[in-house]
Amino acid sequence: PPPPSFHTRRSSDLTFLGLNGPAGPWLKGYDGEGIVVGVIDNGIWPEHASFADDGSYIAPPIMPLDDSRPNCEFGNTEHNANDEPFTCNNKLLGARQMMDTYRSLIGAEADEFDSARDDDGHGTHTASTAAGNAGVQAGILGVDRGIVSGIAPRAHVIAYKGLGELGGFGSDLAAAIDQAVADGVDVINYSIGSGSFAIGPDDVAFLFAADAGVFVATSNGNSGPGPATIGSPASAPWLTSVGASTQDRTFQGSAASTDGWEFFGASITDGTDELPLVDAADAGDELCNPGALDAAVVAGNVVLCKRGAIARVAKSEAVFEAGGAGMILYNANDGQSQVTDTHWVPSVHINNTDGLVIKGYIAATSDPVARINGGEYTEVDAPFMAAFSSRGPNRLSADIIKPDITAPGVNILAGASPFPYGGVVQGQLFQSISGTSMSSPQVAGIFALLKQAHPDWTAAIAKSALMTTAYQDVNKEDNVTPADPFDMG
């Protein structure tokens, strides 16, 4: 089976989830105070404002953490000069690198951090979604994107780095789970999974975590919308598996032309002036693979690229490298979600039908032109399932319905690492990304609120309470057909 990996596909809309409403938990005093959230992921960016200790946090009873292995592991500048030393505090209680097997067999690339520091952005995003500080100012590519808050903003955080650039090993992940339980965390978020449904070391470790009273949220997978696409550990009954659905606000932009058309889609970037428009197929590669575009065709122009084969951000990197001024990315089919990646050039992500209309316009027009209108915070219909969200039935055990619940996982604005590997835009502390990786920490944050309100509850009680009180009026990805338990739990 493939190695365990991320389930990534603005801040959570607090009003949409009811957290800050008149009857919501925050105004009742439930904000995660005194609860410890363990985030098993690819590390954390400790200097991020979402984890700053303003002096109002007191140390929880579990402090100090044991020092049988490094418990605040930053500052390996010998491997990577950007890995500055950091002293953990009463917000970010600790950060452990749990990658003994990975480092022994694979090592660490030069663009990775050989420490607990986040070298991808995924771990910082999930941790800040679950338990990031309240009232943090967010911006992407120099554009102010407003205020973000974690679901349990007063909770403490311990980060466990269990994944590297190539994924992870079950032995490292099981060790991270065991360490989190030994450290005394109340809640674990695990936005990690495998396409295999076989029971692995992490599944077993989570069974013991449940026995110890630790609440666990895990991502349900990004292999939907086909049936029976759930893998490990989401298929196991003793943790809470979270599907991804939409929220009622997103960052929406458009591609438009003075020739009389405009199509809307997802965008987190700025816009462009009206410029010549070219089809990437006429520049050498409709999929916009880096190095495959003819700069003589692309330079200074807006480029229409088709989704598929490579990472979406790599396509805008290809346009950037060829001197392009903007990108219209269109889906390979209308069932795919539209997402707000941090692109290298101003970009908008639209559906297949609209993309084909633009493609036809280019072919039929002597001087096609277009502009990109940058993304703005926009109200949309919700909730409906994300097309990528994995679905039941459960291949491990067909009589156990999975996922257990769904939560917002599309275009979620939260933290980032400014030094991500893999050709991603550098220097950004926030990102708006999608996946069941993004929905799982929202449930982990809600578990922190439940733990604060009901410290005597077991993990099973908390899971039952959440499932039996969940909002049910959710649609499938077409936003018309009612979702069923194999979609949303």
Side-chain angles (χ1 to χ4, degrees):
S5 59
F6 302 135
H7 277 162
T8 304
R9 262 299 198 225
R10 100 200 124 40
S11 158
S12 314
D13 189 281
L14 304 176
T15 302
F16 183 67
L17 292 179
L19 294 173
N20 58 353
W26 283 9
L27 293 184
K28 295 179 179 179
Y30 301 121
D31 53 11
E33 186 78 47
I35 303 303
V36 180
V37 177
V39 180
I40 301 174
D41 213 292
N42 77 313
I44 196 165
W45 194 259
E47 296 89 356
H48 201 282
S50 292
F51 314 119
D53 183 354
D54 62 2
S56 65
Y57 289 95
I58 61 172
I62 67 171
M63 298 300 287
L65 298 178
D66 78 84
D67 58 3
S68 58
R69 62 185 301 135
N71 56 33
C72 187
E73 191 175 355
F74 302 105
N76 186 355
T77 54
E78 184 176 346
H79 179 78
N80 187 321
N82 293 312
D83 191 4
E84 296 184 3
F86 181 86
T87 302
C88 291
N89 52 51
N90 286 339
K91 174 64 176 182
L92 180 58
L93 303 181
R96 300 183 185 271
Q97 180 173 216
M98 307 295 299
M99 301 180 67
D100 295 353
T101 305
Y102 189 101
R103 296 300 185 218
S104 174
L105 297 179
I106 296 178
E109 296 295 329
D111 59 352
E112 290 185 89
F113 294 112
D114 188 7
S115 72
R117 189 174 289 274
D118 183 354
D119 39 28
D120 173 81
H122 193 275
T124 300
H125 193 282
T126 57
S128 57
T129 298
N133 286 329
V136 175
Q137 188 72 42
I140 300 176
L141 299 171
V143 180
D144 180 7
R145 294 300 181 186
I147 299 296
V148 297
S149 300
I151 302 297
R154 292 293 298 176
H156 309 278
V157 175
I158 304 176
Y160 301 86
K161 183 173 180 176
L163 295 182
E165 192 166 353
L166 299 180
F169 289 91
S171 55
D172 288 337
L173 295 167
I177 297 163
D178 289 347
Q179 184 66 62
V181 174
D183 285 341
V185 306
D186 299 293
V187 178
I188 291 175
N189 184 71
Y190 195 73
S191 290
I192 298 170
S194 167
S196 169
F197 61 88
I199 292 289
D202 50 349
D203 302 73
V204 177
F206 277 130
L207 178 59
F208 292 118
D211 289 343
V214 179
F215 300 177
V216 179
T218 190
S219 49
N220 199 57
N222 299 330
S223 299
T229 46
I230 300 168
S232 167
S235 2
W238 45 82
L239 36 68
T240 302
S241 308
V242 187
S245 48
T246 60
Q247 55 182 325
D248 64 353
R249 288 178 175 86
T250 189
F251 294 105
Q252 186 179 75
S254 70
S257 173
T258 51
D259 284 337
W261 53 264
E262 182 174 20
F263 299 109
F264 292 89
S267 177
I268 198 70
T269 68
D270 238 335
T272 68
D273 294 330
E274 186 155 272
L275 299 167
L277 172 64
V278 299
D279 188 339
D282 299 327
D285 180 15
E286 70 173 355
L287 294 176
C288 292
N289 281 278
L293 297 178
D294 184 350
V297 177
V298 168
N301 300 330
V302 175
V303 183
L304 178 70
C305 295
K306 184 178 181 180
R307 181 176 181 173
I310 62 170
R312 297 179 301 271
V313 171
K315 296 174 186 289
S316 63
E317 184 180 16
V319 173
F320 173 80
E321 290 176 346
M327 179 182 72
I328 303 170
L329 176 65
Y330 72 100
N331 280 336
N333 62 72
D334 283 341
Q336 293 175 311
S337 298
Q338 299 162 39
V339 291
T340 50
D341 299 299
T342 306
H343 284 292
W344 288 77
V345 295
S347 300
V348 62
H349 185 172
I350 63 176
N351 68 24
N352 177 261
T353 297
D354 296 342
L356 292 178
V357 171
I358 296 174
K359 188 178 182 73
Y361 159 77
I362 295 171
T365 307
S366 57
D367 295 301
V369 293
R371 69 181 181 277
I372 292 171
N373 298 313
E376 300 289 344
Y377 204 37
T378 305
E379 292 188 8
V380 293
D381 291 337
F384 57 90
M385 296 303 301
F388 57 76
S389 187
S390 292
R391 313 299 164 99
N394 187 349
R395 291 176 294 163
L396 176 66
S397 183
D399 61 341
I400 298 170
I401 293 178
K402 289 284 184 169
D404 296 304
I405 199 164
T406 189
V410 178
N411 300 339
I412 304 300
L413 177 62
S417 166
F419 295 106
Y421 52 65
V424 181
V425 177
Q426 305 277 299
Q428 306 301 309
L429 285 170
F430 294 89
Q431 56 188 331
S432 178
I433 55 178
S434 301
T436 54
S437 279
M438 285 60 256
S439 53
S440 177
Q442 305 211 33
V443 170
I446 292 169
F447 274 156
L449 305 182
L450 287 174
K451 185 70 174 181
Q452 181 186 8
H454 303 281
D456 57 333
W457 277 11
T458 66
I461 292 174
K463 175 181 177 179
S464 176
L466 194 60
M467 291 174 65
T468 55
T469 58
Y471 180 79
Q472 296 288 298
D473 192 11
V474 180
N475 287 332
K476 288 181 180 286
E477 59 276 6
D478 62 9
N479 199 18
V480 175
T481 310
D484 60 51
F486 293 144
D487 300 317
M488 66 175 180

